[in-house]
Amino acid sequence: MQVRRLAAWAAVPLVATLGLAACGSGDDGGSGESNPNATVSIQIGEPQHLIPTNTTETSGNQVLSALFTPLVDYDAQNKPYEVQAESIQSTDNTTWTIKLKDGYTFHNGEKVTSDSYINAWNYGAYAPNGQGASYFFEKIAGYDDLQSTDPDGEEGPQKAPEPKAKTMSGLKKVDDSTFTVTLSAPYSEFKTMLGYNAFYPLPNAAFSAPGVIKDGFEDAIIGDGPFKMKGTWQHDAKVEVEKYDAFPGEKPKVAGVEFRIYQQLTAAYADVISDNLDVVPTIPTENLTSAASDLGDRYQQSPASSFQFLAFPTFDPSFSKPEVRKAISEAIDRDEIIKSVFKDSQQSARSFVSPVVAGYRDNTCGTACVFDPAKAKSEYTAAGGPAKIQISYNGDGGHKDWVDATCNQLKTNLGVDCVGTAEPKFADLLDKVEAKKPVGMFRLGWIMDYPSMENYLGPLYTTNGSSNYYGYSNPQFDALVKEGVSAATPDEAIKKYQAAEDILANDLPVIPLRFGQNNFGYSSKVKNVEIDLFQRVNLTKIEAVS
Amino acid sequence: MFRYIVRRLLQMVLAFFGTTLIVYALMFAGQGDPIQALAGERPVTPAQRAYLTETFHLDKTGVGGFFYRYFDYIGNLLKGDLGMSLTQRKISDMISTAWPVTLKLALIGIAVAIIFGVSAGVIAGIRRGGFFDNATLLLTLLVLGIPTIVLAPLAQYFLGVKLGWFPPTAGAQPSFYALLLPGIVLGSLSLATALRLTRTSVAENMRSDYVRTAKSKGLPQRRIVGVHVLRNSLIPVVTFLGVELGNLMSGAIITEGVFNIPGIGFNLFRGIRTEDGPLVVGIVSILVVVYLICNLVVDVLYAVLDPRIRYV
């Protein structure tokens, strides 16, 4: 799918490991008894949107996770299991039958039916609604009929015509609690995808007419989750939710949650250490060094899905030889940079997919990711690598320190001239890359949409991948990923994906650098704080301490 | 006086349209890809791009496009509609929630500057060269030398977190107490300047002929300072404080960020960062009005303080 926002501040540093704290997942914060009548407060940024199909960033996602119940969630192995769905089955991986559990209601009392899903998904996929997550529905048959292309391009005076259809032909209602989804091609991991927030249902009350969402619904959204909205979304201030008593699923252990909106993480951190705020899901870089002494064992880490890498413009002749790319990779001491720049808050990466997905293998990059300056230099000279290397990055994301450190290593170890070039914004960097301007190597990051190897391999490395900005293309790789997508079972798919990943180690279109981690802290008023792979606090686990 | 005020008000209308035109032109010229800026590092889907482009007339480019969008904006503005921000919220809503809290903050800041700055300045001016004078000079030098970006987190850490005298952040609906610390931080820079201005002005006036005359007539010190000296010394201070109120309203960007106050400064910063032209122009338009009114009030206050100043 697409590069999730590795927001500037989240991208680099947010994640710190204290080697010794080694990821205990939030056990206790205080010794007091759990108090089910208390509310907890959690830091978020101002959500961009709260309509599920328009929510593509972490803050909105965190709020929606309180208000909605997903069809599937992920277990400790990051494999999907049914939550609101009774069963999700398919015999051919093309037509999927989704049965819903009985007893779920929206917060206005409306029953959750197959129509709740079908209407919400059709709304999300219909192009003129401009929903940010609409691309999640592109695997469903009939999605193309809901799109339309501007006949004279975006800049032209003509408007895009209305799409052919308003509903996807692949969605069929069987009865009130059953519907079928037909995909345009077989996809064995469709069930995994359904855990993403774009697939939440919407009640009839959301629509003022078929396919039109009521004005003001977003500010007082009605979901089907463990919490219901209390009042309305107070922009830039907070979103408050309270326990929904008629919720049939696993009940939360707190009476409500206040999602408090902060503009700066440092302010949230100051509030957490003085017990004015309960959870800060990311500790600001400035405070990483003092967090252990400020918070003690209330400062914790958990795995995250982010993946940082350096990309080669493979269309540029100076980087077209894999030998050159390998030599550059071998000249970079990842561990040293993580220690000196990131204060051990991230982990070094030597694979092309994150450790959080099923099928991950350690060190698939092989010798190319082993730091060996002597070998690197001789290989680099032999392959005739360029005498001058440029590394481009977006200057608003806090990447300067590690890019400069990397450049210094290349200077020392390869004897080349190296400069880091900052573009003002990520959009400027992408513009230049897309126009194939000489930017040299450039940094990119990735956060997954759903836990699957395909969500890394497809968008990042296939020829038409949505985030393959470096022009890497290998037909054999594309074929293996495609075979994986249409494989009969997830396990068979993983075998294909792993074979594809092995090709990457040979071609090395990008240099894997770091895997991210959640670094979070909480006050002495809460316990059992867990942060999942999507940087969300687990709201059914968290408890207030009285 | 009445004619003067009317004339000034008419000038304000002109200044208002002039500034909005310039700010709009600057935002337009500096605009890269606002839709991408809004989305951060996530690529925008074609459908969403088409939708936003159409909603905000972003397909209108070049000089013609600029005037189309500017007149569209002004037309709506005259109807009392500030338009929509790129985040698809009404700008009038955003400003009306952000305004009161920033105003409170600025008023606390200016009050701190007046109460502490002016009174300390008067004392320092009277006892020129004394211990108090030198001590305040040194202190203000220190305050003027520390930028807010350092001062605000330091105050938050020591007074808010370590000592716990104040809440570390204020939030969206803060109590007066919660706003006190950010207000003091915000006002400290004006305080230092106001103190120095008052001190110099008072010290100078203390040596003037009319003070000597008043002394020789046997007037008590309290009356000399309170009525004669203060009235003359306050003219430069009032000028400064009048303009400073406008400054505080817009200059609260850092303080609001550190203390988590979603006010005007924060919204302005967000607007600039996301290339949100309508939002920036909307806020700037209102700030212009605030500045103009502050200036008018200052000019009128002159006449009150010094009867020799008369406007025709």
Side-chain angles (χ1 to χ4, degrees), chain A residues 2-9 11 46 48-49 54 56 127-132 134-135 147 154-156 159 234-238 261-264 266-268 270-271 273-274 276 294 394 396 399 425-427 430-431 443 466-467 469, chain B residues 32-33 36-51 53-54 58-59 61 87-89 94 97 156-157 160-162 166-170 172-173 253-254 256-263 266-267 270 272-275:
Chain A
Q2 314 218 333
V3 175
R4 308 310 322 292
R5 168 147 80 158
L6 253 199
W9 46 88
E46 163 84 357
Q48 285 177 358
H49 289 284
N54 209 5
T56 48
N129 291 334
Q131 299 289 292
S134 68
Y135 60 89
Q147 314 302 309
E154 266 169 43
E155 307 291 326
K159 280 185 188 169
Q234 298 175 44
H235 289 273
D236 295 328
K238 61 184 171 184
I261 297 168
Y262 283 84
Q263 291 107 48
Q264 288 188 3
T266 42
D271 268 351
I273 55 181
S274 23
N276 281 343
D294 287 340
N394 47 315
D396 61 353
H399 299 292
K425 285 184 176 163
F426 189 67
L430 283 194
D431 282 348
R443 69 137 297 251
S466 61
S467 293
Y469 294 106
Chain B
D33 184 353
Q36 185 63 56
L38 193 69
E41 296 191 8
R42 178 175 54 83
V44 190
T45 60
Q48 199 181 25
R49 180 171 285 279
Y51 168 78
T53 304
E54 198 185 306
L58 293 174
D59 47 348
T61 50
T87 54
Q88 294 175 35
R89 282 173 62 201
M94 296 172 83
T97 51
Q156 181 184 49
Y157 186 70
V161 175
K162 281 284 145 188
F166 298 94
T169 63
Q173 287 110 19
I253 294 180
I254 294 164
E256 286 185 356
V258 170
F259 292 99
N260 194 38
I261 304 167
F266 160 68
N267 275 295
R270 173 167 62 183
I272 293 169
R273 201 186 51 202
T274 56
E275 300 175 8

Side-chain angles (χ1 to χ4, degrees), chain A residues 118-150:
Chain A
I118 293 173
N119 292 340
W121 295 6
N122 279 329
Y123 176 83
Y126 187 61
N129 291 334
Q131 299 289 292
S134 68
Y135 60 89
F136 273 92
F137 303 102
E138 67 193 4
K139 288 198 162 70
I140 298 176
Y143 173 83
D144 290 342
D145 291 341
L146 273 62
Q147 314 302 309
S148 68
T149 38
D150 206 330

Side-chain angles (χ1 to χ4, degrees), chain A residues 150-457:
Chain A
D150 206 330
D152 49 5
E154 266 169 43
E155 307 291 326
Q158 287 184 51
K159 280 185 188 169
E162 265 202 18
K164 269 188 273 175
K166 285 202 146 180
T167 54
M168 287 183 281
S169 58
L171 297 180
K172 289 257 160 44
K173 181 180 174 175
V174 177
D175 58 48
D176 263 359
S177 61
T178 318
F179 64 107
T180 61
V181 183
T182 311
L183 306 180
S184 42
Y187 182 44
S188 54
E189 290 172 292
F190 181 64
K191 190 172 155 185
T192 310
M193 266 182 91
L194 291 174
Y196 192 70
N197 64 265
F199 294 97
Y200 289 145
L202 286 176
N204 279 325
F207 300 96
S208 56
V212 184
I213 283 197
K214 227 188 259 175
D215 258 4
F217 175 73
E218 188 167 22
D219 284 341
I221 192 159
I222 299 166
D224 62 343
F227 295 95
K228 64 179 179 197
M229 198 104 155
K230 190 175 162 190
T232 55
W233 172 8
Q234 298 175 44
H235 289 273
D236 295 328
K238 61 184 171 184
V239 182
E240 276 183 291
V241 299
E242 60 191 352
K243 199 146 96 178
Y244 176 54
D245 293 324
F247 184 69
E250 191 187 343
K251 297 243 188 334
K253 299 177 181 69
V254 291
V257 183
E258 180 190 339
F259 297 103
R260 216 181 288 164
I261 297 168
Y262 283 84
Q263 291 107 48
Q264 288 188 3
L265 279 176
T266 42
Y269 182 76
D271 268 351
V272 164
I273 55 181
S274 23
D275 272 359
N276 281 343
L277 170 79
D278 291 330
V279 186
V280 57
T282 8
I283 294 199
T285 335
E286 299 92 311
N287 302 102
L288 279 175
T289 38
S290 68
S293 59
D294 287 340
L295 292 166
D297 58 4
R298 290 182 282 122
Y299 164 47
Q300 305 227 335
Q301 290 79 34
S302 69
S305 73
S306 70
F307 171 45
Q308 293 276 339
F309 54 92
L310 269 180
F312 290 105
T314 50
F315 45 80
D316 182 338
S318 35
F319 295 111
S320 58
K321 278 193 205 161
E323 292 77 23
V324 174
R325 308 201 282 250
K326 276 183 190 162
I328 293 174
S329 174
E330 283 162 8
I332 297 174
D333 187 352
R334 293 164 176 73
D335 296 325
E336 168 59 29
I337 290 176
I338 284 171
K339 214 168 119 195
S340 60
V341 179
F342 294 98
K343 314 284 175 220
D344 286 329
S345 65
Q346 303 199 7
Q347 291 177 334
S348 50
R350 292 189 176 84
S351 299
F352 299 89
V353 300
S354 160
V356 301
V357 296
Y360 162 82
R361 290 164 302 157
D362 201 12
N363 204 10
T364 50
C365 176
T367 52
C369 289
V370 178
F371 175 56
D372 189 342
K375 188 170 148 230
K377 185 159 189 180
S378 67
E379 282 183 6
Y380 193 78
T381 323
K388 191 173 181 239
I389 294 179
Q390 186 188 355
I391 302 180
S392 293
Y393 59 98
N394 47 315
D396 61 353
H399 299 292
K400 188 179 191 310
D401 290 348
W402 72 261
V403 168
D404 286 349
T406 311
C407 249
N408 283 334
Q409 290 186 347
L410 293 181
K411 271 186 210 164
T412 320
N413 300 336
L414 294 179
V416 294
D417 192 16
C418 179
V419 283
T421 315
E423 297 291 334
K425 285 184 176 163
F426 189 67
D428 302 315
L429 177 62
L430 283 194
D431 282 348
K432 284 202 170 174
V433 170
E434 278 168 353
K436 294 197 166 40
K437 288 193 180 144
V439 290
M441 295 158 72
F442 50 95
R443 69 137 297 251
L444 283 174
W446 180 261
I447 295 180
M448 69 178 186
D449 295 319
Y450 47 89
S452 157
M453 282 184 83
E454 187 265 342
N455 195 226
Y456 286 84
L457 298 177

Side-chain angles (χ1 to χ4, degrees), chain A residues 509-532:
Chain A
V510 306
I511 306 178
L513 292 179
R514 297 179 304 276
F515 294 127
Q517 270 189 304
N518 295 318
N519 275 11
F520 58 100
Y522 49 93
S523 74
S524 59
K525 292 197 263 178
V526 288
K527 60 178 185 178
N528 284 339
V529 181
E530 281 179 22
I531 306 258
D532 67 11

